[in-house]
Amino acid sequence: MRGGLEGPGPRLTATPCGCVKPDLETGNLLTEPIGYLESCFSAKNGTPRQPSICSHSRACLRIRKSIFNNPEHSLMGLEEFSHVWILFVFHKNGHLSCKAKVQPPRLNGAKIGVFSTRSPHRPNAIGLTLAKLEKVEDVGQVSFKYFQSAEEARHAIEAVLSADPRSVYRRKLCQDRLFYFTVDAAHVTCWFGDGFAEVLRIKPASVPAQMTDGAESAASLGCR
């Protein structure tokens, strides 16, 4: 028998029979979305049920870099591959289904076991797809149209802020000190304090304002 000290192992959970098992063996898993997928089909109606129906369909997978401790490493080497496997959630199912049989459209009303079909309505709304990888790019960087470098853009932003572009009302009467403006292809979010201005975020002007992760990467996918 060997004695010694061991580091902390998997957390244990008591089961109804009195046994103790690690959390991963109990089936209680907590997942965190690492990205979001946008395709040329924005609605369910008309979306092909089979991947071979529309071979020219395209999608963009946006990876949330904020979940990594070294975000610049997350997609390193991915461009060397031709295809990627994607695990995803059918988030628009509406509800989980526990029906053992389903009616696939191609069977004209006949029922068959759910696990022998592509039905998205399953006990766990998890899907798997194989996609052709076309390119990997960092969408957190701004591609300028008029400025010749990021340094020129920085000087322009500093010049705008130093002149305080806010109206008299916003400077003296409005309590909201956040200010937004666009210069070239950059959408700038800043905050004005007493005698200074602080830039909070710079993102491409074409990116919707509701997106929360400032640093993101995108993989352009061809559906297969």
Side-chain angles (χ1 to χ4, degrees), residues 4-191:
L5 298 176
E6 295 184 354
R11 190 172 59 179
L12 303 180
T13 301
T15 60
C17 65
C19 302
V20 177
K21 294 184 177 181
D23 275 351
L24 289 179
E25 296 182 14
T26 65
N28 298 319
L29 302 179
L30 179 63
T31 60
E32 174 74 14
I34 64 170
Y36 301 91
L37 191 67
E38 299 173 349
S39 78
C40 56
F41 299 102
S42 59
K44 181 179 69 174
N45 290 347
T47 301
R49 297 186 179 93
Q50 303 292 337
S52 58
I53 293 177
C54 185
S55 60
H56 295 290
S57 53
R58 294 292 185 272
C60 181
L61 176 60
R62 297 184 181 275
I63 303 296
R64 295 174 53 209
K65 284 188 175 181
S66 60
I67 68 171
F68 297 102
N69 55 354
N70 292 307
E72 66 277 7
H73 299 165
S74 61
L75 299 180
M76 184 181 296
L78 184 61
E79 68 279 356
E80 299 177 9
F81 295 88
S82 62
H83 292 73
V84 292
W85 286 104
I86 302 175
L87 282 168
F88 61 93
V89 174
F90 291 102
H91 68 291
K92 289 192 175 182
N93 269 7
H95 63 278
L96 296 179
S97 175
C98 294
K99 293 182 179 180
K101 285 187 175 182
V102 295
Q103 296 175 297
R106 285 192 173 186
L107 294 185
N108 296 320
K111 291 186 177 181
I112 194 172
V114 65
F115 293 130
S116 61
T117 73
R118 288 175 171 267
S119 172
H121 301 285
R122 321 174 78 84
N124 292 307
I126 299 174
L128 172 67
T129 190
L130 178 66
K132 181 180 179 181
L133 181 64
E134 295 188 342
K135 63 180 178 179
V136 178
E137 61 183 355
D138 190 341
V139 299
Q141 297 180 356
V142 180
S143 177
F144 295 106
K145 181 178 180 180
Y146 300 102
F147 297 129
Q148 296 182 359
S149 66
E151 187 68 14
E152 283 191 1
R154 184 177 68 83
H155 287 307
I157 293 173
E158 290 177 348
V160 171
L161 294 179
S162 64
D164 195 345
R166 297 176 299 166
S167 65
V168 174
Y169 169 78
R170 291 192 65 87
R171 289 200 303 265
K172 296 184 176 181
L173 301 177
C174 184
Q175 295 182 353
D176 183 5
R177 297 196 172 190
L178 281 177
F179 188 77
Y180 312 90
F181 68 95
T182 299
V183 55
D184 200 317
H187 180 77
V188 182
T189 302
C190 57
W191 179 84

